[in-house]
Amino acid sequence: MHKTLLILLFGFLFCFGRQPNVYGQQTVFADSISTQQDTITGKKEKGTYSGRSKVVSRVHKWLFRKEKGKKAPPKIKYAELYGDLQDKVTIDHVIIESKDPFGYSVFDTLRKPKSLLEKAGNAVHVKSKNMAIKKYFLFKEGDLVDTLLIQETARLLRQQKYIRDVNIVPEHSIEGTVNLVVKVLDSWSILPRGSFSSSRFSVGLRDRNFFGLGHEAHVNYSKRIEDGSTGFGSKYIVPNIANTFIDVTGNYQSDLDHFQDKYISMNREFYSPLTRWAGGVFVQERSLERPFIGWNWEIEDHQLKFDYQDYWLGRAFPIIKAGEGRARQTNLVVAARTFFVNYKAALPQEIDNTRFFSDEQFYLASVGVNSREYVADHHIFRDGVTEDVPVGDLYSFTAGVQRKNERSRFYMGVQASKGGYVDWGFVSGTVEVGSFFGSSRVEQGVISLKANYFSDLYDMGSGGWQIRQFIKPQIVIGINREKSFNDRLGLNERPYFRGVNNYEYLDYTSRYKYGDYQNGNMQGFESPVIGTRKYVLDLQTQFYSPWELLGFRLNPFLSTSLSILTGGDKSYGSNRLYSSFSLGFIIRNDYFVFDSFQLSLSYYPSIPGEGNSIFKGNSFRNDNFGFLDFKSDKPRPVIYE
């Protein structure tokens, strides 16, 4: 153990890390779609170790790999690569080449694992089976070559968290046919988890490529020392059953206080612009405890128990059946949804005087037009691998009827979203307006405005450092909200429970959508401040380091959040500016299947209920920024959170 620590210390203090491949500017997929390709050199630069000992030199070679290349690698456009084959040549054979995660590349055939750690990691890794890869193919042997289907297959494979990168290349076959070679680079998929303190401990294990099948398995166990109470959780996900793109999830969780969450889900999304049918079933039984504001403005914990059922179905109709590029990916989408909530444990009258948490039946339908495609970029939320950035438009209209508290209310909402690259970076935005209508007046209306910007990737000069700027403004305005503490906005990182119409239930099994559904919450902020309107501005300066240790990168960042809550009756702590200032490192490893984590320090000038001039460690999370997808989904009300 001491030797390992010494090696790591020497590595950090004295060694140079691997410089990443520097990609060219982003380019659009399909007829406007392209990917980047690594430079194939097979050559290595000699490191300089003047003044260093031979021991340090050997440690450096063991831990690090340094590649030659500040030069942008050539771009390969699918449209150009397959241009002469499009709709003229049939696919003879599809060949799958799956590679272990360490030391290989799907672009550089000469690259092999060289260090002892790379070889050892590959030796114990369970490689993805062909069936886990083949089920995402949108083409088959005997089909005519279709550039869009090839690029969409590559994107869908990259979207799987057990796959790091993908490259699909044509290979010569007999005249009139072609072989497609699907090269897939795995990620390390098994991750243990654990936390220990004097009062409790928890251990867990997650595998996102169970036995190489592409299935996802979670298990965790926790225990509280004081009273011996135990908690247990398990979840199993079977994605894309038999190439139907139907995902099935089963979940059971019981925490230390014996609150339980059980659900089963079957869901098929509009996974591609070419998808025609989507739908899902979600059935849940849940018992939990949440903080609520009492009549005397004190925070009190109360139990909620409910059953929840959600069913939806959608159909996409291509607007232009024979087209190229974006025209082919434009659809008219209609969908219908119904969900039912049955509460088994009600809140006391003084906590829920308006019966906000009561049985509910909701029937919704939507119609909309969306057009989306994807841009291949890099160094946004990952390091040195392809990231598919959605660009496009979405316009939808939603209407429905809610039955609650022995009365029926009509609901109507609209959404408009647009995003794409401009000369000075990437900009996306969405506007949503929705309201219930009862007794000839607007009730519980919402106006939600969001924007997301990140700059181009700038080279800081010598040394290989790069930088991006992120900006995310958000506004949520409530109109004629109920006179209840429960129907108010907050700033807390994890909002108080506000019914089923929030991100936690709208897509419970797809938590990567958290950023889409979350509305301007300050990370690390815990306070009972509430209001009816919220204005939030998030700023982040992100640096990308050229150094790598065992696949880990430490990327420094500076972050600022500025927030204002306003509101009238049943509001607290409003009409004040709340802020946070953070600095730290985002730690990522694209070889492994786990979310990035941070080492950070945040300063809060004021948090009502906690005090002034507060410092917190590791309060920042990078998932506050994310991509806005222009994908049609199940009908939903505008989120007020």
Side-chain angles (χ1 to χ4, degrees), residues 199-213:
S199 60
R200 66 181 64 187
F201 72 88
S202 66
V203 292
L205 188 68
R206 180 182 69 189
D207 189 346
R208 282 182 167 162
N209 195 7
F210 194 61
F211 285 109
L213 299 172

Side-chain angles (χ1 to χ4, degrees), residues 174-437:
I174 61 176
E175 186 176 354
T177 65
V178 67
N179 293 336
L180 296 185
V181 182
V182 181
K183 300 180 179 181
V184 174
L185 182 64
D186 276 4
S187 289
W188 182 272
S189 62
I190 301 175
L191 180 67
R193 290 183 170 184
S195 63
F196 303 88
S197 68
S198 59
S199 60
R200 66 181 64 187
F201 72 88
S202 66
V203 292
L205 188 68
R206 180 182 69 189
D207 189 346
R208 282 182 167 162
N209 195 7
F210 194 61
F211 285 109
L213 299 172
H215 297 185
E216 188 171 334
H218 299 244
V219 62
N220 59 78
Y221 173 83
S222 57
K223 184 171 183 178
R224 189 162 50 209
I225 307 300
E226 181 182 1
D227 57 5
S229 179
T230 60
F232 175 77
S234 63
K235 180 165 67 173
Y236 197 86
I237 303 174
V238 183
N240 192 5
I241 297 176
N243 199 232
T244 62
F245 287 88
I246 297 175
D247 301 338
V248 177
T249 302
N251 176 81
Y252 173 82
Q253 300 286 337
S254 177
D255 68 11
L256 293 173
D257 296 309
H258 307 296
F259 293 112
Q260 295 183 348
D261 183 14
K262 296 178 284 186
Y263 69 79
I264 186 168
S265 167
M266 295 181 62
N267 195 56
R268 187 180 198 262
E269 296 185 336
F270 287 107
Y271 56 86
S272 166
L274 306 177
T275 309
R276 295 294 166 250
W277 287 97
V281 176
F282 181 79
V283 180
Q284 179 187 44
E285 181 181 281
R286 200 171 193 200
S287 170
L288 73 163
E289 190 173 83
R290 283 289 187 269
F292 295 93
I293 300 177
W295 64 273
N296 55 356
W297 290 93
E298 292 185 358
I299 304 298
E300 303 174 9
D301 289 339
H302 289 276
Q303 183 180 4
L304 286 170
K305 293 181 66 175
F306 61 86
D307 295 332
Y308 176 56
Q309 298 179 52
D310 193 339
Y311 310 91
W312 78 284
L313 183 66
R315 177 73 163 91
F317 301 91
I319 293 178
I320 303 175
K321 294 186 178 181
E324 295 184 353
R326 194 157 173 180
R328 188 178 171 190
Q329 302 172 72
T330 302
N331 296 292
L332 172 69
V333 181
V334 294
R337 175 190 180 194
T338 180
F339 65 80
F340 310 94
V341 188
N342 178 28
Y343 285 91
K344 297 180 178 179
L347 292 174
Q349 177 68 23
E350 61 271 17
I351 298 296
D352 189 15
N353 59 316
T354 63
R355 296 183 65 195
F356 188 83
F357 298 99
S358 59
D359 294 354
E360 178 180 359
Q361 299 88 44
F362 214 146
Y363 306 90
L364 289 161
S366 65
V367 59
V369 175
N370 75 323
S371 176
R372 59 184 168 118
E373 53 191 1
Y374 295 86
V375 168
D377 209 335
H378 62 100
H379 285 91
I380 305 173
F381 303 113
R382 302 181 69 184
D383 292 291
V385 296
T386 305
E387 298 178 68
D388 299 306
V389 182
V391 299
D393 310 83
L394 171 63
Y395 306 96
S396 68
F397 171 78
T398 301
V401 176
Q402 180 200 58
R403 178 68 179 172
K404 184 176 180 179
N405 293 328
E406 300 180 353
R407 63 185 293 241
S408 296
R409 295 191 298 174
F410 178 69
Y411 176 84
M412 186 169 62
V414 294
Q415 177 183 0
S417 303
K418 188 177 182 63
Y421 281 89
V422 294
D423 291 339
W424 33 276
F426 176 86
V427 180
S428 66
T430 182
V431 178
E432 293 183 88
V433 180
S435 177
F436 292 94
F437 297 89

